[in-house]
Amino acid sequence: MLECPVGRAVETVGEWWSILILRDAFQGATKFDEFSQGLGIAPNILSRRLAHLTESGMFVRRRYHERPPRYEYVLTEKARDFFPVVVALLAWGNRHLAPKGESIVLANRSDARPFDPIVVDAADMRPITLANAVVIPGPRASRGMHKRLGSLKAMNPAVAPAGD
């Protein structure tokens, strides 16, 4: 298993169909046919992606019909915790890949006010940016990870990435 959490996350959901399946699940899709129709995905690819997402703990497969046996795919807590990643992708896509304007906007459920998503630190609610963030070894980091992170340019306090 990869030591880097980004690598592990990409291993789980990095295939683009997986992210789109989760996006549709966040909007209420649970059944194979709903995913298939909403995504226009080939049935064999959808079957593989749903099996992978289920095996990796993003969905629980639950029978909803006996004859013939039919299953729905229910989001787990692990999958619901992925929602902010989809929100960040939506915001980034709207900002950088929608030159003629946004076709989808994330909005507050109660009053339809559009959200302007940012990633913040839960402790002080300040935005996390490239200029104020750095990766450091966690308590379970291997010697190799300590060495790798220590060699990164960003670990040098004199080197601040451009962007803020």
Side-chain angles (χ1 to χ4, degrees), residues 100-124:
K100 294 182 180 179
E102 302 159 334
S103 60
I104 296 173
V105 177
L106 189 67
N108 186 303
R109 187 180 295 270
S110 65
D111 63 8
R113 177 188 53 80
F115 283 131
D116 186 13
I118 58 171
V119 178
V120 299
D121 176 37
D124 64 12

PDB file of all heavy atoms in Angstrom, residues 100-124:
ATOM      1  N   LYS A 100     -17.209  30.465 -20.885  1.00  0.00           N
ATOM      2  CA  LYS A 100     -18.476  31.110 -21.263  1.00  0.00           C
ATOM      3  C   LYS A 100     -19.450  31.206 -20.091  1.00  0.00           C
ATOM      4  O   LYS A 100     -20.580  31.631 -20.257  1.00  0.00           O
ATOM      5  CB  LYS A 100     -19.120  30.356 -22.418  1.00  0.00           C
ATOM      6  CG  LYS A 100     -18.300  30.439 -23.689  1.00  0.00           C
ATOM      7  CD  LYS A 100     -18.973  29.744 -24.826  1.00  0.00           C
ATOM      8  CE  LYS A 100     -18.103  29.859 -26.071  1.00  0.00           C
ATOM      9  NZ  LYS A 100     -18.695  29.186 -27.211  1.00  0.00           N
ATOM     10  N   GLY A 101     -19.026  30.774 -18.913  1.00  0.00           N
ATOM     11  CA  GLY A 101     -19.880  30.845 -17.736  1.00  0.00           C
ATOM     12  C   GLY A 101     -20.170  29.471 -17.152  1.00  0.00           C
ATOM     13  O   GLY A 101     -19.998  28.442 -17.808  1.00  0.00           O
ATOM     14  N   GLU A 102     -20.610  29.475 -15.931  1.00  0.00           N
ATOM     15  CA  GLU A 102     -20.857  28.245 -15.178  1.00  0.00           C
ATOM     16  C   GLU A 102     -22.154  27.580 -15.628  1.00  0.00           C
ATOM     17  O   GLU A 102     -23.178  28.237 -15.753  1.00  0.00           O
ATOM     18  CB  GLU A 102     -20.929  28.567 -13.687  1.00  0.00           C
ATOM     19  CG  GLU A 102     -19.669  29.232 -13.167  1.00  0.00           C
ATOM     20  CD  GLU A 102     -19.893  30.004 -11.882  1.00  0.00           C
ATOM     21  OE1 GLU A 102     -21.038  30.448 -11.629  1.00  0.00           O
ATOM     22  OE2 GLU A 102     -18.921  30.179 -11.144  1.00  0.00           O
ATOM     23  N   SER A 103     -22.106  26.267 -15.819  1.00  0.00           N
ATOM     24  CA  SER A 103     -23.326  25.533 -16.157  1.00  0.00           C
ATOM     25  C   SER A 103     -23.943  24.882 -14.922  1.00  0.00           C
ATOM     26  O   SER A 103     -25.126  24.567 -14.916  1.00  0.00           O
ATOM     27  CB  SER A 103     -23.043  24.470 -17.221  1.00  0.00           C
ATOM     28  OG  SER A 103     -22.087  23.541 -16.749  1.00  0.00           O
ATOM     29  N   ILE A 104     -23.133  24.705 -13.882  1.00  0.00           N
ATOM     30  CA  ILE A 104     -23.602  24.153 -12.608  1.00  0.00           C
ATOM     31  C   ILE A 104     -22.981  24.986 -11.489  1.00  0.00           C
ATOM     32  O   ILE A 104     -21.789  25.289 -11.525  1.00  0.00           O
ATOM     33  CB  ILE A 104     -23.167  22.687 -12.430  1.00  0.00           C
ATOM     34  CG1 ILE A 104     -23.813  21.792 -13.482  1.00  0.00           C
ATOM     35  CG2 ILE A 104     -23.494  22.189 -11.026  1.00  0.00           C
ATOM     36  CD1 ILE A 104     -23.311  20.368 -13.465  1.00  0.00           C
ATOM     37  N   VAL A 105     -23.799  25.341 -10.516  1.00  0.00           N
ATOM     38  CA  VAL A 105     -23.322  26.113  -9.371  1.00  0.00           C
ATOM     39  C   VAL A 105     -23.775  25.401  -8.111  1.00  0.00           C
ATOM     40  O   VAL A 105     -24.925  24.962  -8.018  1.00  0.00           O
ATOM     41  CB  VAL A 105     -23.890  27.559  -9.395  1.00  0.00           C
ATOM     42  CG1 VAL A 105     -23.449  28.341  -8.171  1.00  0.00           C
ATOM     43  CG2 VAL A 105     -23.466  28.270 -10.674  1.00  0.00           C
ATOM     44  N   LEU A 106     -22.902  25.259  -7.155  1.00  0.00           N
ATOM     45  CA  LEU A 106     -23.263  24.688  -5.864  1.00  0.00           C
ATOM     46  C   LEU A 106     -23.934  25.778  -5.034  1.00  0.00           C
ATOM     47  O   LEU A 106     -23.421  26.895  -4.945  1.00  0.00           O
ATOM     48  CB  LEU A 106     -22.004  24.173  -5.152  1.00  0.00           C
ATOM     49  CG  LEU A 106     -22.223  23.370  -3.891  1.00  0.00           C
ATOM     50  CD1 LEU A 106     -22.896  22.039  -4.236  1.00  0.00           C
ATOM     51  CD2 LEU A 106     -20.899  23.116  -3.197  1.00  0.00           C
ATOM     52  N   ALA A 107     -25.089  25.450  -4.461  1.00  0.00           N
ATOM     53  CA  ALA A 107     -25.854  26.470  -3.742  1.00  0.00           C
ATOM     54  C   ALA A 107     -26.348  25.937  -2.404  1.00  0.00           C
ATOM     55  O   ALA A 107     -26.445  24.728  -2.190  1.00  0.00           O
ATOM     56  CB  ALA A 107     -27.045  26.923  -4.584  1.00  0.00           C
ATOM     57  N   ASN A 108     -26.665  26.868  -1.526  1.00  0.00           N
ATOM     58  CA  ASN A 108     -27.232  26.546  -0.223  1.00  0.00           C
ATOM     59  C   ASN A 108     -28.612  25.929  -0.427  1.00  0.00           C
ATOM     60  O   ASN A 108     -29.445  26.478  -1.148  1.00  0.00           O
ATOM     61  CB  ASN A 108     -27.329  27.828   0.613  1.00  0.00           C
ATOM     62  CG  ASN A 108     -27.765  27.574   2.017  1.00  0.00           C
ATOM     63  OD1 ASN A 108     -28.824  27.004   2.257  1.00  0.00           O
ATOM     64  ND2 ASN A 108     -26.955  28.006   2.963  1.00  0.00           N
ATOM     65  N   ARG A 109     -28.846  24.785   0.200  1.00  0.00           N
ATOM     66  CA  ARG A 109     -30.116  24.065   0.035  1.00  0.00           C
ATOM     67  C   ARG A 109     -31.313  24.884   0.514  1.00  0.00           C
ATOM     68  O   ARG A 109     -32.393  24.825  -0.064  1.00  0.00           O
ATOM     69  CB  ARG A 109     -30.048  22.747   0.811  1.00  0.00           C
ATOM     70  CG  ARG A 109     -31.228  21.831   0.599  1.00  0.00           C
ATOM     71  CD  ARG A 109     -31.103  20.541   1.395  1.00  0.00           C
ATOM     72  NE  ARG A 109     -30.001  19.708   0.974  1.00  0.00           N
ATOM     73  CZ  ARG A 109     -30.086  18.773   0.030  1.00  0.00           C
ATOM     74  NH1 ARG A 109     -31.217  18.561  -0.592  1.00  0.00           N
ATOM     75  NH2 ARG A 109     -29.037  18.056  -0.290  1.00  0.00           N
ATOM     76  N   SER A 110     -31.146  25.688   1.558  1.00  0.00           N
ATOM     77  CA  SER A 110     -32.303  26.382   2.131  1.00  0.00           C
ATOM     78  C   SER A 110     -32.708  27.643   1.378  1.00  0.00           C
ATOM     79  O   SER A 110     -33.893  27.971   1.336  1.00  0.00           O
ATOM     80  CB  SER A 110     -32.047  26.722   3.602  1.00  0.00           C
ATOM     81  OG  SER A 110     -30.979  27.644   3.716  1.00  0.00           O
ATOM     82  N   ASP A 111     -31.753  28.355   0.756  1.00  0.00           N
ATOM     83  CA  ASP A 111     -32.133  29.607   0.097  1.00  0.00           C
ATOM     84  C   ASP A 111     -31.567  29.754  -1.322  1.00  0.00           C
ATOM     85  O   ASP A 111     -31.706  30.816  -1.924  1.00  0.00           O
ATOM     86  CB  ASP A 111     -31.727  30.809   0.948  1.00  0.00           C
ATOM     87  CG  ASP A 111     -30.232  30.927   1.161  1.00  0.00           C
ATOM     88  OD1 ASP A 111     -29.454  30.166   0.536  1.00  0.00           O
ATOM     89  OD2 ASP A 111     -29.813  31.786   1.963  1.00  0.00           O
ATOM     90  N   ALA A 112     -30.934  28.713  -1.841  1.00  0.00           N
ATOM     91  CA  ALA A 112     -30.372  28.687  -3.199  1.00  0.00           C
ATOM     92  C   ALA A 112     -29.289  29.733  -3.442  1.00  0.00           C
ATOM     93  O   ALA A 112     -28.963  30.051  -4.580  1.00  0.00           O
ATOM     94  CB  ALA A 112     -31.466  28.786  -4.255  1.00  0.00           C
ATOM     95  N   ARG A 113     -28.713  30.274  -2.360  1.00  0.00           N
ATOM     96  CA  ARG A 113     -27.607  31.219  -2.502  1.00  0.00           C
ATOM     97  C   ARG A 113     -26.377  30.442  -2.956  1.00  0.00           C
ATOM     98  O   ARG A 113     -25.994  29.453  -2.339  1.00  0.00           O
ATOM     99  CB  ARG A 113     -27.323  31.902  -1.159  1.00  0.00           C
ATOM    100  CG  ARG A 113     -26.126  32.854  -1.174  1.00  0.00           C
ATOM    101  CD  ARG A 113     -25.768  33.350   0.225  1.00  0.00           C
ATOM    102  NE  ARG A 113     -25.560  32.285   1.203  1.00  0.00           N
ATOM    103  CZ  ARG A 113     -24.435  31.564   1.312  1.00  0.00           C
ATOM    104  NH1 ARG A 113     -23.433  31.753   0.485  1.00  0.00           N
ATOM    105  NH2 ARG A 113     -24.326  30.628   2.240  1.00  0.00           N
ATOM    106  N   PRO A 114     -25.737  30.865  -4.057  1.00  0.00           N
ATOM    107  CA  PRO A 114     -24.550  30.151  -4.522  1.00  0.00           C
ATOM    108  C   PRO A 114     -23.428  30.183  -3.477  1.00  0.00           C
ATOM    109  O   PRO A 114     -23.184  31.200  -2.831  1.00  0.00           O
ATOM    110  CB  PRO A 114     -24.126  30.924  -5.770  1.00  0.00           C
ATOM    111  CG  PRO A 114     -25.373  31.606  -6.232  1.00  0.00           C
ATOM    112  CD  PRO A 114     -26.127  31.934  -4.967  1.00  0.00           C
ATOM    113  N   PHE A 115     -22.781  29.039  -3.313  1.00  0.00           N
ATOM    114  CA  PHE A 115     -21.620  28.943  -2.438  1.00  0.00           C
ATOM    115  C   PHE A 115     -20.371  29.373  -3.208  1.00  0.00           C
ATOM    116  O   PHE A 115     -20.297  29.216  -4.426  1.00  0.00           O
ATOM    117  CB  PHE A 115     -21.396  27.500  -1.967  1.00  0.00           C
ATOM    118  CG  PHE A 115     -22.328  27.034  -0.886  1.00  0.00           C
ATOM    119  CD1 PHE A 115     -22.974  25.824  -1.021  1.00  0.00           C
ATOM    120  CD2 PHE A 115     -22.530  27.768   0.268  1.00  0.00           C
ATOM    121  CE1 PHE A 115     -23.812  25.349  -0.030  1.00  0.00           C
ATOM    122  CE2 PHE A 115     -23.374  27.313   1.272  1.00  0.00           C
ATOM    123  CZ  PHE A 115     -24.012  26.099   1.117  1.00  0.00           C
ATOM    124  N   ASP A 116     -19.383  29.869  -2.478  1.00  0.00           N
ATOM    125  CA  ASP A 116     -18.061  30.150  -3.029  1.00  0.00           C
ATOM    126  C   ASP A 116     -17.089  29.325  -2.198  1.00  0.00           C
ATOM    127  O   ASP A 116     -16.552  29.793  -1.203  1.00  0.00           O
ATOM    128  CB  ASP A 116     -17.746  31.643  -2.933  1.00  0.00           C
ATOM    129  CG  ASP A 116     -16.441  31.999  -3.617  1.00  0.00           C
ATOM    130  OD1 ASP A 116     -15.891  31.161  -4.368  1.00  0.00           O
ATOM    131  OD2 ASP A 116     -15.957  33.124  -3.386  1.00  0.00           O
ATOM    132  N   PRO A 117     -16.894  28.046  -2.561  1.00  0.00           N
ATOM    133  CA  PRO A 117     -16.135  27.130  -1.709  1.00  0.00           C
ATOM    134  C   PRO A 117     -14.651  27.478  -1.614  1.00  0.00           C
ATOM    135  O   PRO A 117     -14.025  27.866  -2.595  1.00  0.00           O
ATOM    136  CB  PRO A 117     -16.290  25.770  -2.391  1.00  0.00           C
ATOM    137  CG  PRO A 117     -17.231  25.953  -3.510  1.00  0.00           C
ATOM    138  CD  PRO A 117     -17.388  27.406  -3.766  1.00  0.00           C
ATOM    139  N   ILE A 118     -14.126  27.332  -0.397  1.00  0.00           N
ATOM    140  CA  ILE A 118     -12.693  27.424  -0.135  1.00  0.00           C
ATOM    141  C   ILE A 118     -12.357  26.343   0.895  1.00  0.00           C
ATOM    142  O   ILE A 118     -13.233  25.872   1.615  1.00  0.00           O
ATOM    143  CB  ILE A 118     -12.262  28.816   0.398  1.00  0.00           C
ATOM    144  CG1 ILE A 118     -13.007  29.161   1.693  1.00  0.00           C
ATOM    145  CG2 ILE A 118     -12.452  29.899  -0.647  1.00  0.00           C
ATOM    146  CD1 ILE A 118     -12.490  30.402   2.395  1.00  0.00           C
ATOM    147  N   VAL A 119     -11.094  25.985   0.963  1.00  0.00           N
ATOM    148  CA  VAL A 119     -10.647  25.025   1.965  1.00  0.00           C
ATOM    149  C   VAL A 119     -10.058  25.822   3.121  1.00  0.00           C
ATOM    150  O   VAL A 119      -9.193  26.679   2.915  1.00  0.00           O
ATOM    151  CB  VAL A 119      -9.585  24.059   1.380  1.00  0.00           C
ATOM    152  CG1 VAL A 119      -9.087  23.100   2.443  1.00  0.00           C
ATOM    153  CG2 VAL A 119     -10.165  23.300   0.200  1.00  0.00           C
ATOM    154  N   VAL A 120     -10.557  25.562   4.325  1.00  0.00           N
ATOM    155  CA  VAL A 120     -10.089  26.308   5.495  1.00  0.00           C
ATOM    156  C   VAL A 120      -9.587  25.355   6.574  1.00  0.00           C
ATOM    157  O   VAL A 120      -9.953  24.176   6.605  1.00  0.00           O
ATOM    158  CB  VAL A 120     -11.202  27.205   6.099  1.00  0.00           C
ATOM    159  CG1 VAL A 120     -11.679  28.234   5.094  1.00  0.00           C
ATOM    160  CG2 VAL A 120     -12.354  26.379   6.618  1.00  0.00           C
ATOM    161  N   ASP A 121      -8.764  25.892   7.447  1.00  0.00           N
ATOM    162  CA  ASP A 121      -8.302  25.147   8.609  1.00  0.00           C
ATOM    163  C   ASP A 121      -9.415  25.167   9.660  1.00  0.00           C
ATOM    164  O   ASP A 121      -9.925  26.233  10.004  1.00  0.00           O
ATOM    165  CB  ASP A 121      -7.033  25.807   9.163  1.00  0.00           C
ATOM    166  CG  ASP A 121      -6.553  25.153  10.435  1.00  0.00           C
ATOM    167  OD1 ASP A 121      -6.644  23.918  10.564  1.00  0.00           O
ATOM    168  OD2 ASP A 121      -6.091  25.897  11.335  1.00  0.00           O
ATOM    169  N   ALA A 122      -9.793  24.012  10.140  1.00  0.00           N
ATOM    170  CA  ALA A 122     -10.889  23.921  11.115  1.00  0.00           C
ATOM    171  C   ALA A 122     -10.558  24.650  12.413  1.00  0.00           C
ATOM    172  O   ALA A 122     -11.459  25.129  13.096  1.00  0.00           O
ATOM    173  CB  ALA A 122     -11.220  22.459  11.396  1.00  0.00           C
ATOM    174  N   ALA A 123      -9.286  24.751  12.770  1.00  0.00           N
ATOM    175  CA  ALA A 123      -8.911  25.383  14.046  1.00  0.00           C
ATOM    176  C   ALA A 123      -9.137  26.891  14.029  1.00  0.00           C
ATOM    177  O   ALA A 123      -9.651  27.448  14.995  1.00  0.00           O
ATOM    178  CB  ALA A 123      -7.454  25.079  14.380  1.00  0.00           C
ATOM    179  N   ASP A 124      -8.759  27.558  12.938  1.00  0.00           N
ATOM    180  CA  ASP A 124      -8.890  29.023  12.934  1.00  0.00           C
ATOM    181  C   ASP A 124      -9.733  29.556  11.768  1.00  0.00           C
ATOM    182  O   ASP A 124      -9.884  30.762  11.618  1.00  0.00           O
ATOM    183  CB  ASP A 124      -7.516  29.699  12.945  1.00  0.00           C
ATOM    184  CG  ASP A 124      -6.683  29.409  11.703  1.00  0.00           C
ATOM    185  OD1 ASP A 124      -7.222  28.879  10.709  1.00  0.00           O
ATOM    186  OD2 ASP A 124      -5.478  29.718  11.734  1.00  0.00           O
TER     187      ASP A 124
END
